[in-house]
Amino acid sequence: MNAVEIEEAVTKLAEKPFDAAEFPYQFLAAFGNKDTTIKRLRAGSTNASDLPGGVLQRSNIHIAVAPPGKVTQTLSALRISPATTKAKARFILATDGDGFEAEELESGETVACAYADFPNHFGFFLSLAGITTVKQVRESSFDIRATSRLNRLYVELLKDNPAWASAERRHDMNHFMARLIFCFFAEDTDIFGKIGLFTETVERMSDRDSSNTHEVIGTLFRALNTKGPDREAAGIPRWAARADQFPYVNGGLFSGNMEVPRFSRIARSYLLHIGNLDWTKINPDIFGSMIQAVADEEERGALGMHYTSVPNILKVLNPLFLDDLRECLAEAGDNARTLLNLRKRMSRIRVFDPACGSGNFLVIAYKEMRLIEAEINKRRGEPDRSSEIPLTNFRGIELRDFPAEVARLALIIAEFQCDVLYRGKQLALNEFLPLSKENWITCGNSLRLDWLSICPPTGTGVKLVADDLLETPLDQAQIDFENEGGETYICGNPPYKGNADQTKDQKEDIRKCFLGTNLNWKSLDYICGWFWKAAQYSSFTVTKFAFVSTNSISQGQNISYFWKPLFEYGLRIDFAVRSFRWRNLATENATVTVVIIGCSRSKDGVCYLFDENIKQEVLQINAYLVPGKDVFVERSARPLSNLPQMVKGNYYGLSDGLLLDETARAELLDDGLSQEHIRTFKGGAEIVRGTQRWCLWFPQPNIPTDAWSNPKVRQRIELVKESRLASPDLAAIRMAERPHQFREMHACNEWTIAIPNVSSESRPYLPVTLESRDVVFPNTAFALYDTELACLAIAASRLHLVWTITVCGKLETRIRYSNTLGWNTLPVPALTDKNKADLTRCAEDILLAREAHFPATIADLYDPDNMPADLREAHERNDEVLERIYIGRRFRNDTERLEKLFELYTKMTASPRATAKKKRAGAA
DNA sequence: TATCCGACAGTGT
DNA sequence: ACACTGTCGGATA
């Protein structure tokens, strides 16, 4: 169960009449315990309680239903109960159906409230459901509750008003929800005349059968859109007309289509329910991203679980510009003049998120800046001063309609809350209304819009122009920024999509972005469009930009395909956060490893490199997010050094029928199928873990008759044929003509040196093996067929590992080996016969050391914590011999290894001979 | 023709 | 539920 589901269950429980005997079990069920767990507790077999009517779930909670009026006493009894301690309960809970008290024993934190209100504290108990790691959830109980209820209302309204679900009406629906949220917030924060006034008015004025609910709400909306003196003329009834109760709000929020969907009874009750939440508790930074799922069919399953956490957002914003502002504040001390200058500077800072979702980057940036400004005003003795940071300087683009609405609202709410916090409620209220008319969140396709017109550079009056003429020009973005001479910071977390996963439209977006350049845009991730547009933007006005990105952007082929042109375009990396796992609250966790990269056109100044929260100051950061000079290792079709050609294993897509497991192989052999038609099939997994698979192997153009006469073989080949013919891929269909074969049919004569395509990064060496002639390799491994054993010494070296980790691509953080990026680019000095003989000896020693531990698998042998000493020594000797060939001694560390390799690579690729060689290779 | 990559995916604890 | 670690197939050069 996720937090939203728990909230729903808990709320339902509290609404039911209290059942003393059942409550403990129902409570545990609401927190996601399985039926069997509850059954066993009920039967008493796992109930460790020593109190009458008590239920104690080991390591979790001790619950007791109290006699009427004795809640506090019962809680004390639970606290001193020996069973509580013995069973290591984390919570104790007592209730009589009227009062409710609970305590988290470790922290001593308590909850005491009316029974009906205990769902307000469900976040307190979330760890019972195993949701402990993320503190944020607990602190945002309100946002989760509000989100889940708004979602229920949304679904219910669409059920009653199917027309509103159509594409054309969706915007109206979303806009309506935004208006409602505003009203809920306003009625709880004194923006309206009385706490709860909106909900109360709807309840009082609408019939219980709900038939006129939409009219009542519509009337209130019209009032909010009409200035006080005009209301009588507009025919607004007395109950809605008082401007001290329902003030003039407008600001675009209540203008436009005023239609309200019809409410069923259920929808009406949901609405009243939502209104009764305490909306002062809303966190605009979290709420926004939670709520965006409300209107999103696909995301609804993980409702509210996909928000970007505040610490992660700060990883972008702090190094981008907030750290600098804070430093300036610290330096300014109490100097009134310097403080004033800083305030002026801040009032002209623009923050632009071109993939803003529901605006959390913008909201957090705003709140952080208000915090700094408040400190300035305090030090200058002007604590009541109104803010000089205009909300219009926080701009965004969002594709989806509902999040765009919410983003705008979240910023409005953030502004109000900051005013209350720093200046007091009265001043906040005085200046809050009416809202300004402009909408500074643009709903549209970011990659097709002209960012310069949405966030125009200083001092020019650029009109909004869509890059793509098919886009309807928007009328909302022609607001002048109040930021003459200000700085612009672009930030956000745009979507990632690998080249193979992009839709036609997304491909077209990218194509348009890179129009007029010679980049290999077809191979780039979708997010590269954002980087490129930001880079273009930065050529018009001074800008720094930073995005959260999939980490593959700084690996493998992207280095030369993407970063090389970006650097040539004048950009540099100012700061970067190296790969870390992105986590959110979704049960189906979004598993992705990301980096954060901040760029500008600055020419000097220190750069910052972050790794696991460790900050390092460096002179330069290259595209690999490694400190040091720019290097771009390009794919090469042939080895640049004097090394043999390495081949990728046979591509075996749509070849299921050709693969054999233990039983299938045994059956075929029993049938009398000749051994020669069956080969060992060894990919990465088999090499590393020592598991076994086989395949049918018919290198001849035609299927040998003895094999064809076996019905099982024939059936298998037919299967392959069918699957290939069924593919939409033309290349696959052509492969159906030779269904007895893989796409490639490479094999060795004598032996093969093999390297897994993907393998764990935790091993101290690459898992390279020597394989015999009966082995066939799938494309999960690379192969050096029939080469000198010295190659194994090179491949198994520390040098090669360091090179591989740096220049090859990765699967998240795993090593993804590649012949074109890793092997063919590896700089190796010319080897004498003596060198080769020495290396061969080293390779043999490594193989012998492994054999001594038979039947340990490669995974066993190279377990970083349990690598056998003799094997380690064999590798040490191998490294010693190889490294002496490079520099006459051992390298001191991996940094030195990498420096040397890059130096050699640069030389190797700069020499005319190498270039000529490459050209010849290309022509051949 | 051959290779790169996956807001991942499968497995074991 | 989390840690660990590599498949398989589409799209592209």
Side-chain angles (χ1 to χ4, degrees), chain A residues 358-398:
Chain A
S358 38
N360 38 8
F361 279 74
L362 296 174
V363 167
I364 302 229
Y366 179 78
K367 285 170 78 171
E368 293 293 325
M369 284 174 68
R370 284 293 301 266
L371 177 64
I372 296 169
E373 188 192 39
E375 179 60 27
I376 292 174
N377 291 345
K378 199 169 103 195
R379 289 190 199 169
R380 281 176 52 90
E382 306 165 318
D384 293 345
R385 208 187 149 81
S386 66
S387 175
E388 292 186 8
I389 300 170
L391 217 48
T392 46
N393 273 1
F394 296 76
R395 299 210 156 188
I397 304 176
E398 168 55 36

mmCIF file of all heavy atoms in Angstrom, chain A residues 358-398:
data_model
loop_
_atom_site.group_PDB
_atom_site.id
_atom_site.type_symbol
_atom_site.label_atom_id
_atom_site.label_comp_id
_atom_site.label_asym_id
_atom_site.label_seq_id
_atom_site.Cartn_x
_atom_site.Cartn_y
_atom_site.Cartn_z
ATOM 1 N N SER A 358 4.643 21.050 -12.094
ATOM 2 C CA SER A 358 3.790 21.891 -11.278
ATOM 3 C C SER A 358 4.592 22.934 -10.516
ATOM 4 O O SER A 358 4.151 23.451 -9.507
ATOM 5 C CB SER A 358 2.955 21.047 -10.352
ATOM 6 O OG SER A 358 3.722 19.985 -9.894
ATOM 7 N N GLY A 359 5.772 23.197 -10.985
ATOM 8 C CA GLY A 359 6.483 24.393 -10.545
ATOM 9 C C GLY A 359 7.347 24.268 -9.311
ATOM 10 O O GLY A 359 7.699 25.271 -8.703
ATOM 11 N N ASN A 360 7.719 23.046 -8.931
ATOM 12 C CA ASN A 360 8.437 22.984 -7.643
ATOM 13 C C ASN A 360 9.827 23.592 -7.658
ATOM 14 O O ASN A 360 10.247 24.159 -6.665
ATOM 15 C CB ASN A 360 8.429 21.592 -7.003
ATOM 16 C CG ASN A 360 8.568 20.485 -7.981
ATOM 17 O OD1 ASN A 360 8.830 20.711 -9.153
ATOM 18 N ND2 ASN A 360 8.388 19.284 -7.509
ATOM 19 N N PHE A 361 10.530 23.528 -8.768
ATOM 20 C CA PHE A 361 11.823 24.226 -8.815
ATOM 21 C C PHE A 361 11.606 25.733 -8.617
ATOM 22 O O PHE A 361 12.338 26.382 -7.882
ATOM 23 C CB PHE A 361 12.536 23.994 -10.153
ATOM 24 C CG PHE A 361 13.277 22.692 -10.235
ATOM 25 C CD1 PHE A 361 12.603 21.496 -10.376
ATOM 26 C CD2 PHE A 361 14.663 22.660 -10.168
ATOM 27 C CE1 PHE A 361 13.270 20.291 -10.445
ATOM 28 C CE2 PHE A 361 15.350 21.451 -10.243
ATOM 29 C CZ PHE A 361 14.656 20.275 -10.384
ATOM 30 N N LEU A 362 10.580 26.261 -9.272
ATOM 31 C CA LEU A 362 10.319 27.693 -9.184
ATOM 32 C C LEU A 362 9.891 28.083 -7.771
ATOM 33 O O LEU A 362 10.357 29.084 -7.224
ATOM 34 C CB LEU A 362 9.229 28.092 -10.194
ATOM 35 C CG LEU A 362 9.596 27.886 -11.662
ATOM 36 C CD1 LEU A 362 8.396 28.163 -12.562
ATOM 37 C CD2 LEU A 362 10.770 28.794 -12.050
ATOM 38 N N VAL A 363 9.022 27.268 -7.190
ATOM 39 C CA VAL A 363 8.532 27.579 -5.840
ATOM 40 C C VAL A 363 9.687 27.562 -4.845
ATOM 41 O O VAL A 363 9.822 28.459 -4.008
ATOM 42 C CB VAL A 363 7.433 26.589 -5.420
ATOM 43 C CG1 VAL A 363 7.152 26.691 -3.934
ATOM 44 C CG2 VAL A 363 6.161 26.832 -6.216
ATOM 45 N N ILE A 364 10.531 26.553 -4.947
ATOM 46 C CA ILE A 364 11.643 26.462 -3.996
ATOM 47 C C ILE A 364 12.626 27.611 -4.206
ATOM 48 O O ILE A 364 13.091 28.221 -3.239
ATOM 49 C CB ILE A 364 12.343 25.107 -4.151
ATOM 50 C CG1 ILE A 364 11.294 24.030 -3.919
ATOM 51 C CG2 ILE A 364 13.548 25.007 -3.213
ATOM 52 C CD1 ILE A 364 11.586 22.954 -3.024
ATOM 53 N N ALA A 365 12.898 27.923 -5.461
ATOM 54 C CA ALA A 365 13.794 29.048 -5.725
ATOM 55 C C ALA A 365 13.205 30.321 -5.118
ATOM 56 O O ALA A 365 13.911 31.096 -4.460
ATOM 57 C CB ALA A 365 13.995 29.218 -7.231
ATOM 58 N N TYR A 366 11.909 30.512 -5.319
ATOM 59 C CA TYR A 366 11.254 31.700 -4.783
ATOM 60 C C TYR A 366 11.361 31.751 -3.267
ATOM 61 O O TYR A 366 11.762 32.761 -2.679
ATOM 62 C CB TYR A 366 9.785 31.736 -5.217
ATOM 63 C CG TYR A 366 9.031 32.930 -4.689
ATOM 64 C CD1 TYR A 366 9.176 34.185 -5.278
ATOM 65 C CD2 TYR A 366 8.194 32.821 -3.574
ATOM 66 C CE1 TYR A 366 8.502 35.289 -4.783
ATOM 67 C CE2 TYR A 366 7.518 33.920 -3.063
ATOM 68 C CZ TYR A 366 7.680 35.155 -3.680
ATOM 69 O OH TYR A 366 7.027 36.250 -3.178
ATOM 70 N N LYS A 367 11.009 30.635 -2.622
ATOM 71 C CA LYS A 367 11.027 30.613 -1.152
ATOM 72 C C LYS A 367 12.434 30.848 -0.601
ATOM 73 O O LYS A 367 12.613 31.579 0.381
ATOM 74 C CB LYS A 367 10.460 29.281 -0.642
ATOM 75 C CG LYS A 367 8.943 29.206 -0.759
ATOM 76 C CD LYS A 367 8.395 27.820 -0.479
ATOM 77 C CE LYS A 367 8.340 27.490 0.992
ATOM 78 N NZ LYS A 367 7.594 26.214 1.207
ATOM 79 N N GLU A 368 13.419 30.247 -1.233
ATOM 80 C CA GLU A 368 14.795 30.428 -0.759
ATOM 81 C C GLU A 368 15.230 31.886 -0.913
ATOM 82 O O GLU A 368 15.923 32.436 -0.059
ATOM 83 C CB GLU A 368 15.754 29.513 -1.515
ATOM 84 C CG GLU A 368 15.544 28.023 -1.240
ATOM 85 C CD GLU A 368 15.888 27.632 0.198
ATOM 86 O OE1 GLU A 368 16.840 28.218 0.760
ATOM 87 O OE2 GLU A 368 15.194 26.757 0.758
ATOM 88 N N MET A 369 14.828 32.492 -2.013
ATOM 89 C CA MET A 369 15.211 33.893 -2.211
ATOM 90 C C MET A 369 14.488 34.814 -1.236
ATOM 91 O O MET A 369 15.071 35.776 -0.738
ATOM 92 C CB MET A 369 14.943 34.315 -3.667
ATOM 93 C CG MET A 369 15.998 33.769 -4.616
ATOM 94 S SD MET A 369 15.616 34.086 -6.346
ATOM 95 C CE MET A 369 15.787 35.868 -6.415
ATOM 96 N N ARG A 370 13.236 34.503 -0.954
ATOM 97 C CA ARG A 370 12.516 35.312 0.041
ATOM 98 C C ARG A 370 13.177 35.209 1.414
ATOM 99 O O ARG A 370 13.224 36.183 2.166
ATOM 100 C CB ARG A 370 11.050 34.862 0.121
ATOM 101 C CG ARG A 370 10.180 35.317 -1.028
ATOM 102 C CD ARG A 370 9.966 36.834 -1.058
ATOM 103 N NE ARG A 370 9.359 37.396 0.128
ATOM 104 C CZ ARG A 370 8.056 37.610 0.299
ATOM 105 N NH1 ARG A 370 7.209 37.301 -0.662
ATOM 106 N NH2 ARG A 370 7.610 38.157 1.408
ATOM 107 N N LEU A 371 13.685 34.024 1.717
ATOM 108 C CA LEU A 371 14.373 33.834 2.996
ATOM 109 C C LEU A 371 15.589 34.763 3.085
ATOM 110 O O LEU A 371 15.830 35.414 4.109
ATOM 111 C CB LEU A 371 14.795 32.366 3.135
ATOM 112 C CG LEU A 371 15.598 31.975 4.364
ATOM 113 C CD1 LEU A 371 14.763 32.174 5.619
ATOM 114 C CD2 LEU A 371 16.044 30.526 4.269
ATOM 115 N N ILE A 372 16.332 34.817 1.992
ATOM 116 C CA ILE A 372 17.517 35.684 1.977
ATOM 117 C C ILE A 372 17.103 37.155 2.070
ATOM 118 O O ILE A 372 17.673 37.933 2.832
ATOM 119 C CB ILE A 372 18.350 35.426 0.697
ATOM 120 C CG1 ILE A 372 18.877 33.988 0.702
ATOM 121 C CG2 ILE A 372 19.501 36.425 0.595
ATOM 122 C CD1 ILE A 372 19.481 33.540 -0.601
ATOM 123 N N GLU A 373 16.085 37.498 1.323
ATOM 124 C CA GLU A 373 15.614 38.881 1.338
ATOM 125 C C GLU A 373 15.124 39.293 2.727
ATOM 126 O O GLU A 373 15.399 40.394 3.199
ATOM 127 C CB GLU A 373 14.483 39.081 0.322
ATOM 128 C CG GLU A 373 14.086 40.530 0.170
ATOM 129 C CD GLU A 373 12.784 40.720 -0.595
ATOM 130 O OE1 GLU A 373 11.847 39.903 -0.388
ATOM 131 O OE2 GLU A 373 12.700 41.644 -1.394
ATOM 132 N N ALA A 374 14.425 38.362 3.381
ATOM 133 C CA ALA A 374 13.915 38.665 4.720
ATOM 134 C C ALA A 374 15.077 38.948 5.671
ATOM 135 O O ALA A 374 14.999 39.845 6.514
ATOM 136 C CB ALA A 374 13.080 37.494 5.231
ATOM 137 N N GLU A 375 16.150 38.199 5.514
ATOM 138 C CA GLU A 375 17.318 38.418 6.366
ATOM 139 C C GLU A 375 17.926 39.798 6.084
ATOM 140 O O GLU A 375 18.315 40.510 7.009
ATOM 141 C CB GLU A 375 18.338 37.296 6.129
ATOM 142 C CG GLU A 375 19.614 37.391 6.932
ATOM 143 C CD GLU A 375 19.397 37.379 8.448
ATOM 144 O OE1 GLU A 375 18.376 36.792 8.893
ATOM 145 O OE2 GLU A 375 20.230 37.969 9.187
ATOM 146 N N ILE A 376 17.971 40.156 4.818
ATOM 147 C CA ILE A 376 18.474 41.486 4.442
ATOM 148 C C ILE A 376 17.623 42.565 5.115
ATOM 149 O O ILE A 376 18.132 43.485 5.764
ATOM 150 C CB ILE A 376 18.442 41.688 2.911
ATOM 151 C CG1 ILE A 376 19.458 40.775 2.238
ATOM 152 C CG2 ILE A 376 18.695 43.154 2.548
ATOM 153 C CD1 ILE A 376 19.413 40.802 0.728
ATOM 154 N N ASN A 377 16.303 42.428 4.967
ATOM 155 C CA ASN A 377 15.405 43.435 5.513
ATOM 156 C C ASN A 377 15.503 43.512 7.032
ATOM 157 O O ASN A 377 15.412 44.584 7.620
ATOM 158 C CB ASN A 377 13.968 43.165 5.080
ATOM 159 C CG ASN A 377 13.782 43.414 3.591
ATOM 160 O OD1 ASN A 377 14.640 44.040 2.955
ATOM 161 N ND2 ASN A 377 12.688 42.914 3.037
ATOM 162 N N LYS A 378 15.718 42.351 7.640
ATOM 163 C CA LYS A 378 15.865 42.344 9.093
ATOM 164 C C LYS A 378 17.117 43.116 9.482
ATOM 165 O O LYS A 378 17.095 43.987 10.350
ATOM 166 C CB LYS A 378 15.951 40.895 9.589
ATOM 167 C CG LYS A 378 15.641 40.723 11.055
ATOM 168 C CD LYS A 378 15.483 39.247 11.413
ATOM 169 C CE LYS A 378 16.728 38.746 12.106
ATOM 170 N NZ LYS A 378 16.794 37.277 12.152
ATOM 171 N N ARG A 379 18.224 42.822 8.798
ATOM 172 C CA ARG A 379 19.480 43.488 9.134
ATOM 173 C C ARG A 379 19.424 44.989 8.843
ATOM 174 O O ARG A 379 20.110 45.769 9.465
ATOM 175 C CB ARG A 379 20.636 42.879 8.331
ATOM 176 C CG ARG A 379 20.991 41.480 8.799
ATOM 177 C CD ARG A 379 22.285 41.014 8.157
ATOM 178 N NE ARG A 379 22.403 39.563 8.224
ATOM 179 C CZ ARG A 379 23.319 38.876 7.564
ATOM 180 N NH1 ARG A 379 24.187 39.507 6.787
ATOM 181 N NH2 ARG A 379 23.371 37.574 7.683
ATOM 182 N N ARG A 380 18.634 45.350 7.868
ATOM 183 C CA ARG A 380 18.518 46.769 7.544
ATOM 184 C C ARG A 380 17.445 47.463 8.382
ATOM 185 O O ARG A 380 17.167 48.649 8.196
ATOM 186 C CB ARG A 380 18.175 46.945 6.062
ATOM 187 C CG ARG A 380 19.372 46.792 5.135
ATOM 188 C CD ARG A 380 18.953 46.891 3.688
ATOM 189 N NE ARG A 380 18.154 48.094 3.432
ATOM 190 C CZ ARG A 380 18.664 49.274 3.077
ATOM 191 N NH1 ARG A 380 19.952 49.403 2.937
ATOM 192 N NH2 ARG A 380 17.873 50.294 2.869
ATOM 193 N N GLY A 381 16.827 46.717 9.263
ATOM 194 C CA GLY A 381 15.815 47.313 10.129
ATOM 195 C C GLY A 381 14.514 47.630 9.401
ATOM 196 O O GLY A 381 13.828 48.591 9.725
ATOM 197 N N GLU A 382 14.217 46.861 8.351
ATOM 198 C CA GLU A 382 12.970 47.088 7.611
ATOM 199 C C GLU A 382 12.153 45.798 7.521
ATOM 200 O O GLU A 382 11.817 45.354 6.422
ATOM 201 C CB GLU A 382 13.286 47.542 6.167
ATOM 202 C CG GLU A 382 14.199 48.733 6.078
ATOM 203 C CD GLU A 382 14.781 48.938 4.680
ATOM 204 O OE1 GLU A 382 15.172 47.949 4.041
ATOM 205 O OE2 GLU A 382 14.841 50.080 4.241
ATOM 206 N N PRO A 383 11.856 45.185 8.642
ATOM 207 C CA PRO A 383 11.253 43.849 8.590
ATOM 208 C C PRO A 383 9.895 43.814 7.910
ATOM 209 O O PRO A 383 9.520 42.770 7.378
ATOM 210 C CB PRO A 383 11.134 43.459 10.072
ATOM 211 C CG PRO A 383 11.158 44.738 10.816
ATOM 212 C CD PRO A 383 12.003 45.671 10.020
ATOM 213 N N ASP A 384 9.195 44.922 7.866
ATOM 214 C CA ASP A 384 7.844 44.899 7.290
ATOM 215 C C ASP A 384 7.826 45.201 5.803
ATOM 216 O O ASP A 384 6.787 45.148 5.164
ATOM 217 C CB ASP A 384 6.958 45.957 7.987
ATOM 218 C CG ASP A 384 6.714 45.582 9.425
ATOM 219 O OD1 ASP A 384 6.975 44.401 9.754
ATOM 220 O OD2 ASP A 384 6.295 46.453 10.199
ATOM 221 N N ARG A 385 8.968 45.554 5.293
ATOM 222 C CA ARG A 385 9.054 45.995 3.898
ATOM 223 C C ARG A 385 8.475 44.955 2.943
ATOM 224 O O ARG A 385 8.684 43.757 3.103
ATOM 225 C CB ARG A 385 10.531 46.194 3.576
ATOM 226 C CG ARG A 385 10.787 47.208 2.536
ATOM 227 C CD ARG A 385 12.265 47.200 2.187
ATOM 228 N NE ARG A 385 12.371 47.584 0.799
ATOM 229 C CZ ARG A 385 12.326 48.843 0.390
ATOM 230 N NH1 ARG A 385 12.202 49.805 1.270
ATOM 231 N NH2 ARG A 385 12.374 49.133 -0.883
ATOM 232 N N SER A 386 7.751 45.450 1.946
ATOM 233 C CA SER A 386 7.188 44.462 1.014
ATOM 234 C C SER A 386 8.286 43.936 0.099
ATOM 235 O O SER A 386 9.276 44.611 -0.145
ATOM 236 C CB SER A 386 6.043 45.077 0.202
ATOM 237 O OG SER A 386 6.542 46.080 -0.635
ATOM 238 N N SER A 387 8.071 42.749 -0.370
ATOM 239 C CA SER A 387 9.120 42.062 -1.114
ATOM 240 C C SER A 387 9.383 42.735 -2.445
ATOM 241 O O SER A 387 8.464 43.220 -3.111
ATOM 242 C CB SER A 387 8.723 40.621 -1.356
ATOM 243 O OG SER A 387 9.680 40.003 -2.178
ATOM 244 N N GLU A 388 10.649 42.772 -2.819
ATOM 245 C CA GLU A 388 10.996 43.322 -4.129
ATOM 246 C C GLU A 388 11.253 42.227 -5.145
ATOM 247 O O GLU A 388 11.703 42.478 -6.252
ATOM 248 C CB GLU A 388 12.220 44.222 -3.998
ATOM 249 C CG GLU A 388 11.875 45.474 -3.208
ATOM 250 C CD GLU A 388 13.009 46.478 -3.159
ATOM 251 O OE1 GLU A 388 14.013 46.279 -3.868
ATOM 252 O OE2 GLU A 388 12.869 47.437 -2.385
ATOM 253 N N ILE A 389 11.003 40.988 -4.732
ATOM 254 C CA ILE A 389 11.207 39.880 -5.662
ATOM 255 C C ILE A 389 9.884 39.614 -6.365
ATOM 256 O O ILE A 389 8.946 39.108 -5.762
ATOM 257 C CB ILE A 389 11.664 38.625 -4.899
ATOM 258 C CG1 ILE A 389 12.982 38.912 -4.180
ATOM 259 C CG2 ILE A 389 11.814 37.445 -5.848
ATOM 260 C CD1 ILE A 389 13.401 37.825 -3.216
ATOM 261 N N PRO A 390 9.780 40.002 -7.633
ATOM 262 C CA PRO A 390 8.494 39.861 -8.315
ATOM 263 C C PRO A 390 8.249 38.411 -8.750
ATOM 264 O O PRO A 390 9.146 37.755 -9.279
ATOM 265 C CB PRO A 390 8.634 40.763 -9.541
ATOM 266 C CG PRO A 390 10.091 41.041 -9.693
ATOM 267 C CD PRO A 390 10.820 40.571 -8.490
ATOM 268 N N LEU A 391 7.042 37.974 -8.502
ATOM 269 C CA LEU A 391 6.682 36.613 -8.885
ATOM 270 C C LEU A 391 6.805 36.403 -10.401
ATOM 271 O O LEU A 391 7.039 35.299 -10.872
ATOM 272 C CB LEU A 391 5.241 36.341 -8.445
ATOM 273 C CG LEU A 391 4.910 34.947 -7.920
ATOM 274 C CD1 LEU A 391 5.904 34.475 -6.894
ATOM 275 C CD2 LEU A 391 3.500 34.937 -7.349
ATOM 276 N N THR A 392 6.670 37.510 -11.125
ATOM 277 C CA THR A 392 6.744 37.404 -12.587
ATOM 278 C C THR A 392 8.152 37.053 -13.065
ATOM 279 O O THR A 392 8.345 36.770 -14.231
ATOM 280 C CB THR A 392 6.338 38.736 -13.243
ATOM 281 O OG1 THR A 392 6.998 39.787 -12.547
ATOM 282 C CG2 THR A 392 4.848 38.934 -13.189
ATOM 283 N N ASN A 393 9.121 37.118 -12.167
ATOM 284 C CA ASN A 393 10.469 36.729 -12.565
ATOM 285 C C ASN A 393 10.689 35.224 -12.467
ATOM 286 O O ASN A 393 11.784 34.737 -12.689
ATOM 287 C CB ASN A 393 11.500 37.451 -11.701
ATOM 288 C CG ASN A 393 11.836 38.812 -12.284
ATOM 289 O OD1 ASN A 393 11.270 39.199 -13.307
ATOM 290 N ND2 ASN A 393 12.747 39.526 -11.648
ATOM 291 N N PHE A 394 9.645 34.492 -12.107
ATOM 292 C CA PHE A 394 9.736 33.030 -12.022
ATOM 293 C C PHE A 394 8.845 32.454 -13.106
ATOM 294 O O PHE A 394 7.623 32.493 -12.999
ATOM 295 C CB PHE A 394 9.332 32.555 -10.626
ATOM 296 C CG PHE A 394 10.265 33.060 -9.573
ATOM 297 C CD1 PHE A 394 10.207 34.371 -9.139
ATOM 298 C CD2 PHE A 394 11.247 32.230 -9.049
ATOM 299 C CE1 PHE A 394 11.096 34.863 -8.196
ATOM 300 C CE2 PHE A 394 12.139 32.707 -8.099
ATOM 301 C CZ PHE A 394 12.065 34.033 -7.677
ATOM 302 N N ARG A 395 9.497 31.984 -14.154
ATOM 303 C CA ARG A 395 8.735 31.590 -15.331
ATOM 304 C C ARG A 395 8.937 30.133 -15.668
ATOM 305 O O ARG A 395 9.987 29.568 -15.391
ATOM 306 C CB ARG A 395 9.204 32.411 -16.526
ATOM 307 C CG ARG A 395 8.980 33.878 -16.305
ATOM 308 C CD ARG A 395 8.745 34.519 -17.624
ATOM 309 N NE ARG A 395 8.000 35.727 -17.418
ATOM 310 C CZ ARG A 395 7.498 36.450 -18.379
ATOM 311 N NH1 ARG A 395 7.681 36.091 -19.632
ATOM 312 N NH2 ARG A 395 6.820 37.522 -18.110
ATOM 313 N N GLY A 396 7.926 29.578 -16.307
ATOM 314 C CA GLY A 396 8.058 28.168 -16.661
ATOM 315 C C GLY A 396 7.300 27.806 -17.911
ATOM 316 O O GLY A 396 6.421 28.544 -18.356
ATOM 317 N N ILE A 397 7.671 26.685 -18.470
ATOM 318 C CA ILE A 397 6.913 26.108 -19.577
ATOM 319 C C ILE A 397 6.544 24.691 -19.162
ATOM 320 O O ILE A 397 7.382 23.961 -18.613
ATOM 321 C CB ILE A 397 7.747 26.027 -20.876
ATOM 322 C CG1 ILE A 397 8.282 27.402 -21.260
ATOM 323 C CG2 ILE A 397 6.914 25.428 -22.011
ATOM 324 C CD1 ILE A 397 9.188 27.379 -22.480
ATOM 325 N N GLU A 398 5.303 24.340 -19.387
ATOM 326 C CA GLU A 398 4.879 22.977 -19.067
ATOM 327 C C GLU A 398 3.928 22.483 -20.146
ATOM 328 O O GLU A 398 3.034 23.202 -20.575
ATOM 329 C CB GLU A 398 4.205 22.950 -17.684
ATOM 330 C CG GLU A 398 3.470 21.675 -17.348
ATOM 331 C CD GLU A 398 4.317 20.412 -17.452
ATOM 332 O OE1 GLU A 398 5.508 20.466 -17.124
ATOM 333 O OE2 GLU A 398 3.775 19.385 -17.895
#
